[in-house]
Amino acid sequence: MSGHYYIGLFIRIALGLLVGPPALNAGQSAYSQGYQLRCDSIVKYCSGSKAPLNCFTVMTQLAKATQDTGSMRFLDSMLQNPSRGMFWMYQVAGIYFYGKKNLSRVWRKKIVQAFSSCKVYRGETENHWLLYYSSMYLFSGEALADSCSWFNGKTNAQNREEAKAWIQRWMKKSFSEGLAEYDSPHYGIWYIVPLFMLFDFTGDPVFKRQCEIMLYRLLADQQTDYRNGVITGACSRVLDRNIFAKQNSQMAQVLGFFEGDKPLFSPAWKPLNLDYHMAIFALSSFAFPEILAQVWQEQNKQSFETIEKQRTTRRFRYYETSEEPFRKYSWITPAFTLGSVSKNGSEGFQTRSWSLDWKGTGAVTTCFGLHPFYGAHELAAFFPGPEHLVYQLVLHQRPFYNSPDKWIGASPFENLFQDKNVLVGLYDFPDTASNKCVCFFLPEGLDSLWFGPDSALYVMTGSICFSIRFSAPPLVMNTAEGKRLSIRGDKPGFILEVIQRNEVSSFQDFLIKSGHESFSFSSKAIRFRALDKRRIEFDLQGNRRVGNRKNGTDPETVLGAPGLYLKGTRMEIRANDQELTLDYAKLEITNRHAVGH
């Protein structure tokens, strides 16, 4: 294509103008054309001389034969310094397999030898293991590896068989039982990247189809929580920067690329919302499914609930079962998402068990809470070794873990119940509990904020109004990030209710209507009547009642949202007049017109 084409391409991508691009194919939809333009712009930028040298730009340069001496020096340095274990492995695999056609035999041999001889640590979590085994699988299938001595003493065939078996077990379990590291704004990318690479380079048609179906399943799950440019609701493996600069998290950037709702470059062709992992997606033969983009676009117009089945991180001891299922629930509207989990479903020190995220122009548009719990005994359930050594190791890697002022983490003493736009929380602290308080975060820049005489907080932003009723008057402290509110007690609790701003005429109107609500806290139960007259009851015995019905969800539903339904090994995706059915057990993908559309 000509230089004029790419000038027009960059301008369209930079400005987010995906309507009316140069026709790439007369049969393509507007979304497909826009997606191809985004891919082309990433490849053009990353393969050019102005992009910074990193493993993904070197990969793209090799894929497009634009590498130079600087690129090869960077690659040589990578091979000599395999310091990041499985993260180094998948980066080297990306360079090798996407750039293979433009690598000399000498370089290919050098890379294979460096990979096979490098003693790398397999890691501790499922994203680590997927990165490790996907890279091992791909390299152990290379003929050049036949003459290599593998660092683990196994043959090519043994490594390939072991890697494939682990990946297949993980896919089978995760498809129908959920993920242990669910909806992570930071770590989620390290689940989809290996599957893209396996899809592209496996050479095994059955394994390729398994990866394809699993990609649909993961992408459908992850995009459900992507609203207004950020990852919303409860999630595992979250970092502070995913809260206070959440629009820049890896998965927020990547999903913005897939959906096409964020400009990748400025008018001066400087990266704006570019994550360099996107180069893999841009080079891949797997394109983000248009039907998923259509589902997401339709969801953006609605208010709806999502139900997800997830599972705990694998536990080594102290529990009767190594894993346990739990529920994640979200109420999503065009203005906000309120999401929570039914229990602390991970190792806890990087979990956000509930979050309210709203549409706004500020950098921080979120409210959440936590019990700043820490404990050596609880950590040791998830990691091998003596409790005191596990505790010290976690503190070394995550110094915030035992801080009473931390903003991420979950607690075994937290009990949550959510029905649509109302979330209630009860805490049952034993005498031995650390930091016997519950903390809440409020950002700066709120339109209106008022503390009522009934231990309640009332807030209005540009898009929502919400109230939080506390079981005791909160202590308020100003921090660098915003306000920290904390309540203390052996059995503290709270009630949060949120509505869209257009549901009231003013902040005063919101206060008046909220004043007509009734609520009560006891040491074991919460009762509340919401703005719409719903009566909500919740207690420490796990009883959940809305009106005259006990609250519960179909225990077999793995993922439920408008246009998406997953139960067992079968997933249905509906958008417009199309219905896509994916059956992991039968390895079938069926596309037909949807009944009733």
Side-chain angles (χ1 to χ4, degrees), residues 62 121 127 136 146 187 217 263 269 273 294 298 315 334 336 349 400 426 449 454 467 472 521 529-530 562 575 577:
L62 283 165
Y121 178 46
N127 81 81
M136 288 289 286
D146 291 342
Y187 291 87
R217 187 256 187 267
W269 299 0
N273 296 292
Q294 293 171 343
E298 287 301 310
R315 302 173 293 208
F336 70 86
F349 61 84
F400 62 81
L426 274 172
L449 184 152
D454 52 353
S467 63
F521 290 98
R529 189 183 69 179
D577 62 344

Side-chain angles (χ1 to χ4, degrees), residues 371 373 378 411-415 426-430 432-434 540:
H371 164 223
F373 168 81
E378 286 73 14
S411 167
F413 310 123
E414 181 178 64
N415 303 274
L426 274 172
Y427 300 78
D428 190 7
F429 296 141
T432 57
S434 56
L540 289 176

Side-chain angles (χ1 to χ4, degrees), residues 336-356:
F336 70 86
T337 296
L338 177 63
S340 60
V341 292
S342 59
K343 64 188 302 179
N344 174 22
S346 79
E347 64 272 21
F349 61 84
Q350 284 184 275
T351 296
R352 182 169 58 195
S353 59
W354 70 267
S355 183
L356 168 62

